[in-house]
Amino acid sequence: MTTPTPTAAPTGSVLPTPDELGVVLTDEPTAGTASTSPGVPLASLVRLALRRNPRRAHLLVSTVLAKHVPTVPAVALLAGEALGARVADVLDGGARLDAGAATRLREVLDLQAVLDQRFDTGQQFDTGQPVVPGQQRETDPATGAAPDSGHGSDALHRAATTLRTDLAAVRPTLPDVLVLGFAETATALGATVAEALGAGYLHSTRHDPPGATPAAGFDEAHSHATAHRLLPTEDDWLPTDGTVVLVDDELSTGATARATIRALHAVAPQRQWVVAALVDLRSDADVAATDALATELGAPVAVVALGRGRVSLPDGLTDTAADLVAAAAAPLTTGPLDNAASSNGVPTSDGRPTPGPARASSPETVTAPPTAVDRTGTPAARVRTPRTDVEGIAADLARVLTDASGRVPDRVLVLGTEEHMATPLAIADALRRRTTADVRSSTSTRSPVAVFDDPAWPIRSGIRHRSHDVTVDGPGERYAYNVHGFDAVVVVPEPGTDRGSLEGPDGLLDVLAAVTPRVVVVDSALEPAGAAPSSPRPLTGPSFGSYEPDEVTWLLQDLADAALEADTADRERAIQLEGANYAESLPVEYVPSESYEELYRDALGRSADRIAEAVGIVTDLVLRDRPNAVLVSLARAGTPVGILMRRWAEQQRGVRLQHYTASIVRGVGIDETALRWLAAHHDASQVVFVDGWTGKGAITRELTDALDRFAATDGVRFGDELAVLADPAGCTPLHGTRDDYLVPSACLNSTVSGLVSRTVFNRAWTPEGTLHGAKQYRELGARDHSRSFVATVAERFAAVCPRVDAAVAADGGPASRAVDWRGMRTVEAIGAEYGITDLHLVKPGVGETTRVLLRRVPWQVLVRDPDDVDIAHVVALARERGVPVVTRPDLSYSCVGLIHPLGSRVSDTGTDTAADAIDPTGTGPAA
C-alpha cells in the first residue's frame, strides 16, 4: 500500500509549491525490514528543492543530514544511529529499530518540523541571559528537565539524544565489516553508521593529496561532481569473503551503488553486500536490477532505508523549473558589498531577523589538536573514538562565544566544509551540550541549488565562495545555504587547510562576514593516517558508557582490547605481597544475582528521598561559592553522584554545569593528564571534585597530596575540597550528610556506573602523557541500572526541594561542617584491636564494605546491627561468599569490611605466612 505525502503550502507561501508543480512524494513500506517496523514518511526526511544543474531539475534536500540545511546536531546523529540499527537488524536478524523505536523516531522528526518552522520565522523567546544562581526553576512535566532555553531546540535535542542512547545500548560490534560512505553528502552519515556497527570505515573522496594513489574509483552520473576515489592507507582495507555496507543519503536509482558493488566485488568477492540510505526511491525496475546483480555475483545485496517511496515528476519539469528559477530565485551573497542593503537589522520578507553589520575585526581563531580524517580509513578499533579532541574544542568555543556578562549568542551555526562533515557535526553537538545557544550544523557544498526565500522551499538563502581544497576536478565555486540570520558562525574546515585559502574577497570567511556579525575558525593540523592521537580525547556516551552524552564527559581512554581482568585471589597476592597497585588490573566484574538486585531495588525505593536531599544540599553548597562550578567526579563511584548534582543544578536552580569524571588511584594520585586537560579548558578555581561517600578519608588525603604536587610541577592550583553525599569520616566540609547510610549505587559495580569498569593505571596500557583507562561491559546491558538510578533519584528533587532550602538556610557555616577526621580515628582503633598494621585493609562504611565484598578477598565484616535494612545487601553478600559477619554494637559506622591480611600484615603473627595465609573463600577465623 502506498501513502501520498502531503506538501501543502506553508503559511506565508507566495511561490508555487512542489505540489503545485506536480511533484508528489509517495510513501511505501521499507524494504529489508519487518512489517512491525514501519518506515519514516518521506516528508519527514526530505524536502524538494530545484537545482541549477542541467542533468537534473530537482534535488531532495535532507532534513536530517546536516548538509544543505542547518540541523540540530542530535537529530543528524540519531538518523545515522537509526540507520545503523536497521543495518544491524539485517545482519543478525535483530529488532533494534522495532515499531516502538520507529514511532519515537517519527515523533522526533515531527517535533523538528515544528521547530524548524519557528526557526525559519524567528519565533523564539530571548535566550542566553545570565542565570541567577539559587533561583529555582519549574521542571518540564513531560521530560523532568529544566524549562527550554527559549528557542525550543532543547526538547528536540533531549528527545533525539535519548533515543540515540537507547538504540546504542544494543549496538553490535562487527570489526570484520567495512562501511563505505559516499562523498560528499554521506561522509558523516557513513561514519555514524560505522560507529553504530563497530565496523571499519572509509569514505570516497574528491580530494587530491600529493602522491596519493587511488585503490579504486567510480563515477556518480547524476552528481554535480561525478568522480569518486578511494584512498585507503592500508593494503588490506577491503575484506575478503566478508560484509561491506555502502552508505548514501539517497537511493534514486541505485545505479551508483550497483556500479560500486560490481567494481569492488571484482577486486575482492564478498559474502554479502548491504546498501543503506536515508531514503530509498528506486523504481520496480531499479529494484529488479539490484536483485539481478545479487544473482550475477552470487552474493546477496540487501537494501535498507529509514524511508521508502517514490517521487513522481510531471512532464516538462525541467523547463518549468528553469523558468521558476529564472523568474524568482534569490541571488546568492558573494562578498561584503552584498550585505550593504540588509545590514541595518530590518527583518527579511519572512520575518527572520538579519544580523547587524559585519565585524570590522578578523575572524577569531580556536586552535585545535591534529585531526584525523576518514578518507584514508578508520579501523574498527578506533571508529568509536573521536577523530580529535572534540570536547576540548567545544569547551574552548563556548568560552570564546560567551561574553563578559555570561551571555552566549542565541543562534550559532557550526559549518563544516564539503566532505569534512563528521567532526564538525560532533563539535556542534558538544557545543550544544555546553551552552544555551540554539546550535545547528551544516556544511558547504558543490551543489548549485536555487534559492527561494519562501517557506514552501527549503533553501531560503545562500552564499557563494571560491573553493579552497585541492580536488581532482580543480578549483571551482562552492556554496553554503541558510547561513543568514545566525549570530555566530563557527567554521571547521578540513584539517591542514591553509588559512589564506579561506580569506580574500571571495573566500569563505569574507563572504560569511557579510551575513553574520561573528565568525570563529577552528584551526587544526591534519593527523597523519594511522598515527597515535597526539593529545587526550575525552569520551562521551553513547560510544563510551551507557549515560547520555549530556550527563558526563569521561576523562579516560577506552581499554576495550586490554586483557586486564584477574582472579580475585591472584590480584590480592599481587597487591599485598608483590607491591602491585590495585589499579594495574581489574577484578572480574561481579554479575549480581536476581535476589541481590532485589535488595538493590528495595534499598533505592527506601532511600531515594534521602539521597535526593543530600544531592540538593551538597550541590547548593557548591553553587553558593562557585556559581559556575565545573564538576569533576572521581570515577566510578562519584560518576552517578556528579550526574545527579548536575541535574539538580539545571532542574532546580537553572544552572547548566559541566561535568567530567576522572580517575584517582591510591598511591598514584589523580590523573595528571586529566588535570592538564581541565586546566587548559577551564578555570581551575571553579573545579570541584565529587565522590559518593567517604570511608576513612584516604582518598581525600590522596586528592590533597596529588593536587599539591600538581601545583608544584605545573603551577596550577585546584581546590582540594571534595563534595560527597555522605561524609561519615568527617573529612570534608562539602557534604550532604555525615550519616553512614546506604547509597544504593554502592550495591552494584558497573551496572549502576554507566557499564564502565573501575579505572586502570598500568603503564603498559596507559603510557605517560595519556589518560588513565577503563573498560566497558556492554554485555551487561540487560542488567544496567545506571540511567534508571539517576532518574529515580531525580524524580524526588521537587519533593525534597523545600527541605533542601531549609537545610542550606540553616547551615551554620564552616564551623558546622568542620573537618574532624573521626573516621581515621575509628580505623586506627580497629587496626590496633585486630592487629592490622596496614590500615588500607580496614574499610569502614557501607560503601567501602560493599567494595571489599565485590572486589577483594574479604576476611570478615563487622556490623553494628545485622538487622539494619541499610546493610541487608552487605549481609547477603557476606553469606553468599562465606564471609563471617561479626556484630559490634559499639561501631560508629554501620559496618566495616576487613580485607584478608596475608602473613606479615597481621602484627601478632610474627612470621610471614604469605601464600599459606590466603583463603580465597574469605572464611578465615575471626581475630
Side-chain angles (χ1 to χ4, degrees), residues 344-381:
N344 57 4
V346 177
T348 58
S349 59
D350 64 343
R352 287 173 297 137
T354 58
R359 294 169 59 95
S361 58
S362 299
E364 299 157 277
T365 300
V366 168
T367 302
T371 300
V373 294
D374 292 322
R375 66 172 173 266
T376 54
T378 300

Side-chain angles (χ1 to χ4, degrees), residues 544-558:
F544 189 81
S546 61
Y547 293 116
E548 295 184 20
D550 303 61
E551 304 278 27
V552 60
T553 297
W554 303 84
L555 297 178
L556 297 169
Q557 59 177 307
D558 188 354

Side-chain angles (χ1 to χ4, degrees), residues 444-469:
S444 62
T445 177
R446 295 161 170 264
S447 299
V449 185
V451 172
F452 298 116
D453 192 11
D454 185 284
W457 298 89
I459 303 300
R460 308 289 300 278
S461 65
I463 64 171
R464 181 172 64 238
H465 62 94
R466 73 171 186 273
S467 62
H468 55 268
D469 296 327

